[in-house]
Amino acid sequence: MMSKSYTNLLDLASGNFPIMGREKKRLPRVMTVAGVISELDDDQANSVTSEGPSSVVQDRIIIVANQLPIKAKRRPDNKGWSFSWDEDSLLWQLKDGLPEDMEVLYVGSLQVDVDSSEQDDVSQLLLERFKCVPAFLPKEILSKFYHGFCKQQLWPLFHYMLPFSATHGGRFDRSLWEAYVAANKIFSQRVIEVINPDDDFLWIHDYHLMVLPTFLRRRFTRLRMGFFLHSPFPSSEIYRTLPVREEILKALLNSDLIGFHTFDYARHFLSCCSRMLGLEYQSKRGYIGLEYFGRTVGIKIMPVGIHMGQMESVLRLADKDWRVQELKRQFEGKVVLLGVDDMDIFKGVNLKLLAMEQMLRQHPKWQGRAVFVQIANPARGGGKDLEEIQDEIRECCKRINDCFGQQNYEPIVFIDRPVSLTERAAYYTIAECVVVTAVRDGMNLTPYEYVVCRQGTSGSDYSTETNGPQKSMLVISEFMGCSPSLSGAMRVNPWNIEATAEALNEAISMADAEKQLRHEKHYKYVSTHDVAYWSKSFFQDMERTCKDHFRKRCWGIGLGFGFRVVALDPNFKKLSIDAIVAEYSRSKRRAILLDYDGTVMPQTSIDKTPSNQVISIIDSLCDDVRNTVFVVSGRGRESLGNWFSSCDKLGIAAEHGYFMRWSADKDWENCGQGSDFGWIQIAEPVMKLYTEATDGSSIETKESALVWHHQDADPDFGCSQAKELLDHLESVLANEPVAVKSGQFIVEVKPQGVSKGVVAEKIFTSMANAGRRADFVLCIGDDRSDEDMFEIIGNAVSSGVLSSNTSVFACTVGQKPSKAKYYLDDTTEVINMLEALAEVSDISSPPESP
């Protein structure tokens, strides 16, 4: 059943949204091929699905983010605007890592409010001079989008703050979600105006635009699109409290590559996909990928870096700036610890002040000597929680200074104003240690900037050439994205005030030689893993992930945020009932092999007994003397024999072919290589151990096999236990004549040489030996065990068991990668197809073939 928010998108995408505001004049579309793009809607017929790239290739990437890397201010005469690049913006800096000949176009909003009468002129100016396309959000949407859903819902939740009450975290407000979707739609419209879908790359940034991929993928099924999340991604226990959790996950999965700063964030995202969408990831040759309807969605783990060129330029100014000398005089004879943070409830500024207080109390030698300078950048948001933190910080500063202050000495220097990068670099230069104790932070580049500033630049007053080896110390929270990269830093749990205080003392007490070694290690990493390295790596992975886009057949299915693109091999086609009926009618000797569960019986069905309709269809097929019909299943022979007892001429292969019966009046054949089941005494106790330790797991005992099921266990724990069990069983059964295999939520031990492929080969060979070599083969299955049958069919043709003229229909159930060449969507389509074949058999009664 679709949730309400799915249907919301249907209205939003068609423009039926009460607060969308008036339509804006469209920019001239920049294209390298001719084409007209209409407004975005949900009509799938409007999707651009060209079968190959355009003949004219133009290397270009479109960067989409909430804000453009542009500074804007009113002209002094109040007539028009003055624009310039914001060189502190990551979006501007990342260009350094892209190919030199690649054109970069930006789409985003401005930080200023532009009157509607000026928007067209501003748009034209920014496009021509800066290659920027502004997205103007109506005030009513902007407020609910940014200050509402982004800052009140997503930002706290992604930083592990649950909405326990209306005053703590806030309640979910659907109107804010609708504004978020509406804003993303406006961004999509701006992208559509300028994109060439066959040639352009698209790179979307951060949590403000997480549903944008769905709007764009709906229109351009082969668009090469990446997304990078600059904030943390919470664990599944936190994330699944979000009422629109699946909508956002599915929207992100419409990207080709999804990037995170750390493995923890990626792992949380993958866990959410597993628990909520049933998707499993695979790691191949170092790359992580999610299989999603035939597409492989890449997962990129790469922390962002700083812009080395910008920092070195600032240092050349800061080294000569009077501010450095002034700070040296101000803190002469003192040991300076420095904190630089945005005023935010998650930065842990109050916690580091408490740690400083504790250090002064526990280590009196630092009283009068150690100074903590805290620079607090202006808050980007507001709210009661932030006000409480600010009040606590001010009270804490006053208390510490009153308690430990002396004449000409204040242990806490709190700077509550905007500080330029040049002045910040001066503070970095004179600080003995930088302390960052965020309780949760996506990345935080403050430690990187500090390390570079302590290194100095060649020829400066603070370079290694004049002062010898440089040194620096970092005390950082283990809950930040940069923490794994800075292995020489002293990592702390900021909530543990005593441990943080001891880390501060150890950091400033450490021997210079140790500080130098740690500094060198950090500088080597920071200087080589800069923003250019990050963007180059992400772009290369996006190219690799998208390389097969124009080789596959793609089409979109689903409504609202349930929309996704199915991508399949060109040779993988949906089975046409008309085509198979035509071949069936012409053929004389047919082999029909049917899996049971998931093929003629839905996997979700609790009662596995075949319906009267299925029995009737199979009976009709069996009554046709031209047909050899088999049910090939992993189920036991007793249940299959009872269910199909009325189908006298039906062949049954039970337990993947260990037992086989050609018809009801024939005896069961044992097709295994031996009858020694002593291995059960070894395998069963091991399985019981894992069953007792894994809630929701169970053991199925067959005549020839043991199967451990974990579909009802916790997804992560069940999968982990299955891998352990597989290794354990392979070890203890190494000398036994059995095969240990894993499948969909199962680990199975069965005799060697038993598979559905062997069954298919035996049927084809038996028919050929009887002079009835099949000229029509239909083989249908839905899971990994059925792939053996599909593979054998190809081998049978090449070996001569089947004629090269044989009409072969190897068909899997569900649109997924398979060795079969055809697919049907579900069991209903399978039954409809079999019914069509049965009708052909019912109206024709030919003599039995020789």
Side-chain angles (χ1 to χ4, degrees):
M1 178 181 293
M2 286 197 306
S3 68
K4 286 183 179 178
S5 35
Y6 278 20
T7 56
N8 285 341
L9 181 61
L10 301 179
D11 288 334
L12 293 170
S14 58
N16 298 327
F17 192 56
I19 60 170
M20 282 297 295
R22 70 179 184 87
E23 287 293 324
K24 301 292 188 299
K25 181 180 177 182
R26 293 164 57 84
L27 285 173
R29 179 174 167 80
V30 180
M31 297 187 69
T32 58
V33 292
V36 178
I37 304 299
S38 59
E39 290 298 323
L40 178 66
D41 55 33
D42 278 308
D43 186 356
Q44 198 169 307
N46 288 338
S47 181
V48 176
T49 59
S50 44
E51 291 300 321
S54 66
S55 58
V56 182
V57 178
Q58 178 183 357
D59 290 329
R60 187 173 71 165
I61 186 168
I62 299 176
I63 308 292
V64 191
N66 179 43
Q67 291 187 343
L68 291 169
I70 293 289
K71 293 179 180 178
K73 61 180 180 180
R74 271 287 184 188
R75 289 177 180 168
D77 58 4
N78 206 34
K79 295 180 180 179
W81 293 88
S82 175
F83 299 102
S84 62
W85 286 112
D86 180 2
E87 296 185 4
D88 293 334
S89 170
L90 174 68
L91 304 179
W92 183 83
Q93 296 171 355
L94 66 78
K95 292 193 298 184
D96 288 2
L98 300 174
E100 290 184 7
D101 58 346
M102 174 163 277
E103 180 187 355
V104 180
L105 189 71
Y106 293 100
V107 176
S109 62
L110 292 168
Q111 299 182 39
V112 294
D113 182 24
V114 178
D115 188 81
S116 58
S117 62
E118 301 176 294
Q119 288 177 5
D120 289 340
D121 292 337
V122 167
S123 297
Q124 198 67 38
L125 175 68
L126 289 175
L127 180 63
E128 292 174 356
R129 296 189 183 178
F130 296 90
K131 294 184 180 177
C132 290
V133 179
F136 299 107
L137 302 181
K139 289 183 179 180
E140 59 271 23
I141 291 183
L142 176 61
S143 177
K144 290 185 175 183
F145 157 66
Y146 183 75
H147 299 291
F149 195 76
C150 288
K151 287 301 181 182
Q152 294 179 24
Q153 302 285 341
L154 293 179
W155 180 257
L157 189 74
F158 278 28
H159 288 74
Y160 285 66
M161 183 177 176
L162 289 172
F164 290 116
S165 66
T167 57
H168 181 83
R171 295 288 185 230
F172 178 79
D173 184 339
R174 189 160 293 278
S175 69
L176 302 184
W177 162 246
E178 291 171 347
Y180 181 83
V181 174
N184 275 248
K185 184 195 174 195
I186 292 173
F187 277 88
S188 75
Q189 290 170 337
R190 305 305 275 173
V191 172
I192 289 169
E193 289 172 353
V194 295
I195 197 168
N196 176 8
D198 289 341
D199 296 328
D200 292 345
F201 288 89
L202 190 78
W203 189 356
I204 303 169
H205 289 264
D206 223 2
Y207 65 98
H208 314 90
L209 302 173
M210 289 195 295
V211 301
L212 179 58
T214 288
F215 281 107
L216 297 175
R217 186 65 71 189
R218 175 178 294 278
R219 178 57 66 87
F220 310 118
T221 58
R222 286 187 175 85
L223 179 62
R224 295 173 291 189
M225 178 164 47
F227 179 94
F228 196 93
L229 182 68
H230 294 273
S231 77
F233 195 93
S235 66
S236 61
E237 289 77 10
I238 300 292
Y239 179 78
R240 60 184 172 186
T241 63
L242 185 65
V244 288
R245 59 191 190 182
E246 291 187 9
E247 289 89 324
I248 289 177
L249 281 183
K250 290 177 178 178
L252 288 175
L253 289 171
N254 276 317
S255 304
D256 295 300
L257 182 67
I258 306 173
F260 301 91
H261 285 305
T262 72
F263 175 69
D264 274 350
Y265 304 158
R267 177 168 54 86
H268 294 159
F269 174 77
L270 293 170
S271 176
C272 289
C273 290
S274 172
R275 291 173 178 271
M276 297 170 207
L277 304 180
L279 302 177
E280 298 298 328
Y281 73 92
Q282 289 184 330
S283 181
K284 295 180 180 178
R285 297 184 179 179
Y287 298 106
I288 299 175
L290 275 168
E291 288 297 325
Y292 189 59
F293 292 93
R295 294 170 52 243
T296 299
V297 180
I299 303 298
K300 176 69 172 177
I301 302 167
M302 176 62 70
V304 72
I306 62 175
H307 192 284
M308 288 296 295
Q310 182 194 42
M311 288 303 301
E312 289 173 352
S313 297
V314 169
L315 280 178
R316 291 188 182 96
L317 297 173
D319 288 343
K320 299 175 183 178
D321 195 274
W322 62 269
R323 188 64 172 140
V324 177
Q325 298 301 330
E326 185 183 61
L327 291 174
K328 282 192 162 188
R329 289 193 296 270
Q330 179 181 349
F331 298 112
E332 186 175 2
K334 305 294 191 296
V335 176
V336 177
L337 297 93
L338 177 66
V340 180
D341 301 276
D342 294 337
M343 184 53 71
D344 187 284
I345 61 176
F346 300 110
K347 298 302 182 182
V349 175
N350 53 333
L351 299 178
K352 76 171 80 172
L353 294 176
L354 293 174
M356 180 65 182
E357 181 181 27
Q358 179 72 12
M359 187 193 78
L360 294 174
R361 185 173 287 113
Q362 291 293 109
H363 301 278
K365 65 180 181 179
W366 295 114
Q367 295 179 20
R369 294 175 56 202
V371 176
F372 195 100
V373 179
Q374 176 62 51
I375 298 174
N377 300 319
R380 298 182 185 180
K384 182 180 178 182
D385 292 328
L386 180 60
E387 291 172 1
E388 291 176 353
I389 290 289
Q390 289 175 316
D391 291 342
E392 181 183 350
I393 290 171
R394 294 190 189 96
E395 189 277 328
C396 199
C397 290
K398 183 176 184 303
R399 184 182 69 248
I400 296 171
N401 285 336
D402 289 346
C403 182
F404 299 103
Q406 303 170 12
Q407 187 175 5
N408 299 322
Y409 168 72
E410 282 190 339
I412 305 295
V413 177
F414 188 70
I415 303 173
D416 188 13
R417 61 173 173 80
V419 175
S420 68
L421 180 56
T422 302
E423 185 177 2
R424 199 161 73 232
Y427 275 102
Y428 286 142
T429 302
I430 60 99
E432 189 72 19
C433 176
V434 154
V435 185
V436 188
T437 56
V439 296
R440 189 68 60 179
D441 207 346
M443 187 58 197
N444 200 312
L445 296 175
T446 295
Y448 288 19
E449 293 178 350
Y450 168 64
V451 168
V452 174
C453 289
R454 290 291 285 183
Q455 180 70 18
T457 59
S458 177
S460 74
D461 293 339
Y462 307 99
S463 70
T464 58
E465 294 181 4
T466 58
N467 287 352
Q470 300 298 293
K471 60 185 188 294
S472 63
M473 277 305 300
L474 291 168
V475 176
I476 61 175
S477 165
E478 63 191 52
F479 303 119
M480 301 193 308
C482 65
S483 177
S485 306
L486 300 170
S487 56
M490 304 191 70
R491 300 190 184 102
V492 297
N493 172 6
W495 303 102
N496 189 336
I497 304 300
E498 292 77 12
T500 305
E502 287 303 315
L504 296 180
N505 173 62
E506 187 178 346
I508 57 180
S509 302
M510 188 175 291
D512 285 353
E514 179 68 17
K515 293 180 181 178
Q516 291 164 10
L517 289 173
R518 291 175 184 243
H519 170 80
E520 289 170 4
K521 186 176 186 179
H522 290 157
Y523 182 75
K524 182 178 181 181
Y525 176 84
V526 172
S527 61
T528 55
H529 292 72
D530 60 356
V531 65
Y533 179 89
W534 168 76
S535 60
K536 178 181 179 180
S537 179
F538 188 90
F539 180 73
Q540 288 176 341
D541 272 21
M542 185 155 57
E543 282 187 309
R544 177 187 54 80
T545 305
C546 300
K547 70 181 186 301
D548 291 334
H549 269 32
F550 294 100
R551 187 184 65 83
K552 293 187 175 182
R553 293 185 302 114
C554 301
W555 66 92
I557 59 173
L559 298 175
F561 285 116
F563 177 85
R564 64 272 189 197
V565 167
V566 177
L568 300 174
D569 189 279
N571 296 322
F572 190 52
K573 305 173 183 178
K574 185 162 186 175
L575 183 58
S576 164
I577 293 182
D578 291 340
I580 192 173
V581 165
E583 291 296 327
Y584 182 85
S585 301
R586 287 194 290 267
S587 58
K588 302 298 182 183
R589 297 173 298 278
R590 310 167 184 137
I592 301 174
L593 282 62
L594 308 174
D595 175 42
Y596 186 68
D597 292 283
T599 300
V600 295
M601 172 59 62
Q603 289 281 15
T604 55
S605 178
I606 297 176
D607 182 6
K608 297 297 184 180
T609 306
S611 65
N612 291 334
Q613 181 189 17
V614 170
I615 294 291
S616 175
I617 292 171
I618 291 179
D619 252 340
S620 296
L621 293 174
C622 291
D623 286 341
D624 190 329
V625 295
R626 294 171 290 190
N627 294 347
T628 299
V629 185
F630 263 82
V631 169
V632 186
S633 171
R635 287 191 171 272
R637 57 177 173 174
E638 183 176 353
S639 55
L640 291 172
N642 289 337
W643 288 341
F644 294 103
S645 58
S646 61
C647 303
D648 296 336
K649 299 176 183 177
L650 174 67
I652 298 176
E655 299 191 18
H656 295 132
Y658 187 84
F659 297 106
M660 194 167 172
R661 187 181 73 182
W662 289 85
S663 61
D665 59 350
K666 299 289 178 62
D667 294 330
W668 287 98
E669 300 175 14
N670 186 331
C671 301
Q673 295 179 353
S675 57
D676 181 8
F677 289 96
W679 56 267
I680 291 180
Q681 307 305 317
I682 303 172
E684 191 169 33
V686 175
M687 284 190 174
K688 284 183 177 179
L689 285 175
Y690 284 82
T691 303
E692 292 170 2
T694 312
D695 187 37
S697 65
S698 61
I699 300 174
E700 178 187 1
T701 303
K702 299 180 180 179
E703 290 185 70
S704 67
L706 288 177
V707 186
W708 188 75
H709 296 267
H710 62 94
Q711 67 265 32
D712 295 327
D714 176 89
D716 290 338
F717 186 55
C719 184
S720 174
Q721 289 290 80
K723 291 177 182 176
E724 288 290 329
L725 176 59
L726 183 69
D727 291 341
H728 196 159
L729 289 172
E730 286 179 339
S731 175
V732 299
L733 297 172
N735 298 321
E736 299 294 329
V738 295
V740 184
K741 293 189 176 183
S742 62
Q744 190 172 19
F745 301 116
I746 67 164
V747 174
E748 183 175 25
V749 183
K750 62 182 181 181
Q752 291 177 346
V754 174
S755 74
K756 291 185 177 181
V758 174
V759 172
E761 187 174 31
K762 190 169 185 177
I763 293 171
F764 299 150
T765 303
S766 177
M767 291 178 66
N769 292 340
R772 291 172 47 85
R773 188 166 67 170
D775 59 3
F776 173 95
V777 172
L778 171 62
C779 180
I780 313 179
D782 76 306
D783 66 13
R784 190 178 303 174
S785 65
D786 299 305
E787 296 295 316
D788 292 335
M789 289 195 291
F790 304 148
E791 185 176 14
I792 283 294
I793 290 175
N795 297 339
V797 172
S798 59
S799 65
V801 176
L802 292 177
S803 167
S804 58
N805 297 323
T806 301
S807 299
V808 175
F809 295 91
C811 178
T812 188
V813 182
Q815 299 169 7
K816 56 182 181 290
S818 172
K819 294 173 183 175
K821 290 188 176 182
Y822 299 94
Y823 73 90
L824 291 171
D825 287 324
D826 50 36
T827 56
T828 301
E829 290 193 353
V830 172
I831 292 172
N832 290 340
M833 182 271 296
L834 293 176
E835 190 170 34
L837 300 184
E839 289 175 358
V840 173
S841 290
D842 286 340
I843 61 176
S844 60
S845 53
E848 187 171 351
S849 301

